[in-house]
Amino acid sequence: MKYFLYIILILFVSNLDIYLFRQQLFPFRPSELLIPAFVGLAVISFHPRDYLKVFKTHTFKFFLVFALLATIYATQGYTKREAVMTDIVNSVITLLLYAFTLLLFIKTDVRVVKIFLLISLLLLSLSLWYDMFVGLDKLNEELRKGGFAENPNTAASAMKFVGLCLLYLYRDNKQIRLFLLIVLVSSIFLTFSRSGIIGVLILTLLLLVNEWKSYYNFKIQSFFFTIAKGAAILTITYFVLVNLALFIQKEIPEFNQGEAGQRIDLLLGKTSSKQKVNTGDDNQYGRKQIAIRYLNTFMSKPFGSGTGYTSDKTINYKDTHNYYLKAAVDFGIFGIFVLLIFLFYSIRLSKKHNNFYYLVFILMLMFECLISHGLFMEKAIIVVIAFMDSRLYFNNEIEA
């Protein structure tokens, strides 16, 4: 039964479920069949007393509070019923997916978990390479060359978080660790996602400083030397990638057209007549102007504008592109307070349990909250949170 659950999770993490539906190769939306099937199989796979383990985690309490806030704020404001119900349902799905995935990781041999994560990462990576050079959907040239994820930023986000899990599991194996880093850096570079590239470089630097250990391993005598070495590596890597991007754009037609060409221009700081991707910034729908508008909304309604307000297309053309703002605007000071408590308490737990990888994970999560409003609705991220919590709370039990 558990293997069926892992098969469904592979579809979720690789975004293959959404791709198959949109290509009309699968007749049902994931929310109509796969998610109910996953929940149903999980319910009959675990003993009721196992759920007590889930209830003790701070992440379950965080997701539960946000589901309650979504329900409480459902009648606030003038948000369309569809947007309200979508946010409530997404909050419940997040809660259930986290809970059952956490139990699955606790109850599964580590070898199976490694295979699951490797397959998920390779599917994401291979779909990106195939999409870039061949095309997953040649009839729709507007697709953003993000593999099964379609959105390059979503693909990069999923890969770096899944990659962190694998680096944790293979932290003592130099050969596999090097292989994982090559796959991560090359594939995320292929997305030309600025946040993705920055994220994987910071991830590598932090783990390098800690000498890849699972526990806190800072050594004052070698700390500054490691920082200097890491900074040099990152500088050289960035220089190589930028020049490689210029070469690729000149020599390979696929990288000079459509979405790929736009993203290389963004990475290189160039403007382009073919540019359709927002540079993030000062235009009407750039990230800067979006942030200013939503910040003004929060200041005018500090107790919240209501569930689904930021995602209601009849009110706002674009969502916040920032989870801090989404929590603040929808649920007011209560939402942003709960989110910040969750993040800083997570850092405290990483120190309490002496788990450096969990600290890196939370720092990555904090960074991701700055650039994504749908972070806790992405199934890959939820699965990774469940994995990291399984190692934080139950590592001794799993290894016993």
Side-chain angles (χ1 to χ4, degrees), residues 248-262:
I248 287 174
Q249 197 174 45
K250 290 179 181 178
E251 301 297 329
I252 304 177
E254 289 87 352
F255 285 90
N256 198 34
Q257 301 169 359
E259 184 73 17
Q262 298 165 28

Side-chain angles (χ1 to χ4, degrees), residues 170-220:
Y170 288 104
R171 58 191 178 276
D172 297 322
N173 190 316
K174 292 183 179 180
Q175 290 76 22
I176 296 181
R177 193 173 69 202
L178 179 60
F179 167 75
L180 291 171
L181 287 172
I182 292 172
V183 171
L184 281 175
V185 172
S186 62
S187 298
I188 290 177
F189 172 68
L190 198 68
T191 67
F192 299 105
S193 165
R194 290 174 295 178
S195 60
I197 293 171
I198 292 171
V200 75
L201 293 178
I202 292 175
L203 159 68
T204 305
L205 177 59
L206 288 172
L207 295 179
L208 181 65
V209 166
N210 204 58
E211 298 181 355
W212 306 98
K213 304 297 184 183
S214 61
Y215 51 87
Y216 282 76
N217 189 48
F218 290 113
K219 297 176 182 177
I220 299 299

Side-chain angles (χ1 to χ4, degrees), residues 127-128 148 206 220 232 253 277 281 293 324 344 349 352-353 372:
S127 72
L128 270 169
F148 293 145
L206 288 172
I220 299 299
V277 181
D281 308 349
R293 286 200 298 273
Y324 299 109
F344 286 107
L349 283 175
K352 177 182 177 181
H353 293 271
S372 172

